[in-house]
Amino acid sequence: MKLDTLIGEPWGDYGLVDCGHGRKLERYGDYRFIRPEPQALWAPAGNDWKSHGEFIPGSDEDGGGQWHYTRPVPRDGWPLAWGVGPGTVRFTAQNTPFRHLGFFPDMAPVWSWLRERLDGVTEPEALNLFGYTGVGTLALSAAGAKMVHVDASKKSVDAARANAKLSGMTDRPVRWIVDDAAKFVAREVRRGRRYDAILLDPPKYGRGPDGEIWRLEEHLPALIADCRQLLDANSRALFLTVYAVRMSALAIGEMLRQLFADLPGTVECGELGVREEARGLVLPTAIWARWSND
């Protein structure tokens, strides 16, 4: 199976300014931040990184740490936008305790790819699992899709609703659901539901609203198998991204190839990356696998 790379290019409100020596400097609107980046094994383009703050990781291996600010930053967040014209999505960026800024900018080429797959489909219906703060959901909704947004965190779903309001999209057909993704998909299978597209961005580890445990290596195959049951020969796409795991893109690609063998279309896999503004090099961020029925 051939590996491919999806590259996120800089846009008006986001850019990877520089990276190297295990760190990266990014711009989020008018603010710049430094975060750890183990994949940046090379030297940075420059040494004078002026930023509003830096996330300093803890000494443990569980992702702990805290932000250290050098200049004022709005603690309640600030507005950003992605897209152009009527397809523009507006959302709030914010420094979180989990080292990220409330959304994942490297997902931008995934949103664009799914939009292309759904283009021309009459009233497409799409499912976003582990939907977080809803930027992906709103990106597809702005392109005309009826959306089902699922996340186990009520706080995240509330943030997604707030982003819908900020985007002027509260009247769009979106179902906002607080639920365990695996349980929700299993119920959808029993209901005989179908979708035109499914987007999944699962964490390595997580807990559902009722204490359900999610371990990616253990539970992902069964979830993808259930997602397959929600798609048919007229569906258009499934896109899976995986972060921070010791797993090959070839492994998740083969999993999809076997599970989708009875459907027409193509299975591909590869790496996700972001292009650095300083030199144009690509910083890898995640692995992905996708099925498309073009």
Side-chain angles (χ1 to χ4, degrees):
M1 186 178 295
K2 180 184 177 182
L3 293 174
D4 197 3
T5 303
L6 280 180
I7 301 173
E9 303 290 349
W11 77 81
D13 275 351
Y14 172 78
L16 174 62
V17 179
D18 195 3
C19 61
H21 291 163
R23 300 189 306 163
K24 59 185 175 183
L25 173 65
E26 300 165 293
R27 58 175 178 82
Y28 291 82
D30 295 330
Y31 302 92
R32 293 189 174 201
F33 300 99
I34 300 170
R35 297 193 289 159
E37 182 46 74
Q39 301 270 32
L41 301 176
W42 45 80
N47 297 317
D48 186 18
W49 284 9
K50 295 180 180 179
S51 72
H52 291 78
E54 179 173 1
F55 188 90
I56 307 298
S59 58
D60 57 55
E61 297 182 355
D62 296 326
Q66 60 182 335
W67 288 97
H68 291 257
Y69 299 99
T70 56
R71 298 160 68 184
V73 175
R75 298 305 172 91
D76 293 331
W78 58 98
L80 299 182
W82 175 82
V84 295
T88 299
V89 176
R90 303 186 187 282
F91 52 94
T92 297
Q94 186 176 26
N95 301 85
T96 75
F98 310 105
R99 84 175 58 192
H100 54 77
L101 277 293
F103 76 108
F104 300 104
D106 56 339
M107 289 290 289
V110 178
W111 307 329
S112 295
W113 184 84
L114 283 169
R115 278 183 166 187
E116 292 172 1
R117 302 286 81 71
L118 294 176
D119 186 35
V121 179
T122 302
E123 295 186 345
E125 296 187 53
L127 171 63
N128 187 5
L129 299 171
F130 310 97
Y132 194 39
T133 58
V135 183
T137 295
L138 297 173
L140 297 183
S141 180
K146 296 180 179 179
M147 295 299 303
V148 177
H149 174 105
V150 181
D151 197 281
S153 166
K154 183 179 183 301
K155 182 177 180 181
S156 292
V157 174
D158 287 344
R161 286 178 175 272
N163 284 333
K165 183 177 181 180
L166 189 63
S167 296
M169 296 171 59
T170 54
D171 60 341
R172 292 291 304 156
V174 180
R175 294 173 59 200
W176 305 104
I177 297 175
V178 179
D179 201 352
D180 174 77
K183 286 186 173 181
F184 176 82
V185 170
R187 288 198 305 273
E188 291 287 86
V189 171
R190 293 194 294 270
R191 294 169 182 142
R193 290 275 285 129
R194 72 166 296 278
Y195 290 91
D196 292 294
I198 299 176
L199 171 61
L200 306 92
D201 186 26
K204 179 179 179 180
Y205 175 86
R207 288 184 179 272
D210 296 320
E212 302 91 341
I213 300 297
W214 166 266
R215 294 186 177 88
L216 188 132
E217 292 90 343
E218 180 180 347
H219 297 121
L220 182 62
L223 176 60
I224 298 298
D226 277 348
C227 286
R228 158 63 191 86
Q229 299 305 310
L230 300 180
L231 301 166
D232 60 25
N234 293 316
S235 299
R236 302 305 299 273
L238 177 142
F239 205 110
L240 165 69
T241 53
V242 176
Y243 290 79
V245 295
R246 295 181 178 90
M247 185 183 294
S248 168
L250 291 172
I252 60 174
E254 180 60 26
M255 176 183 64
L256 257 66
R257 189 186 68 80
Q258 292 189 13
L259 290 171
F260 284 74
D262 62 327
L263 288 182
T266 304
V267 171
E268 301 168 293
C269 63
E271 290 192 346
L272 203 60
V274 177
R275 193 179 306 280
E276 182 201 83
E277 293 179 328
R279 293 164 290 188
L281 60 79
V282 176
L283 175 68
T285 59
I287 60 175
W288 57 263
R290 67 191 183 193
W291 166 78
S292 61
N293 184 19
D294 294 328

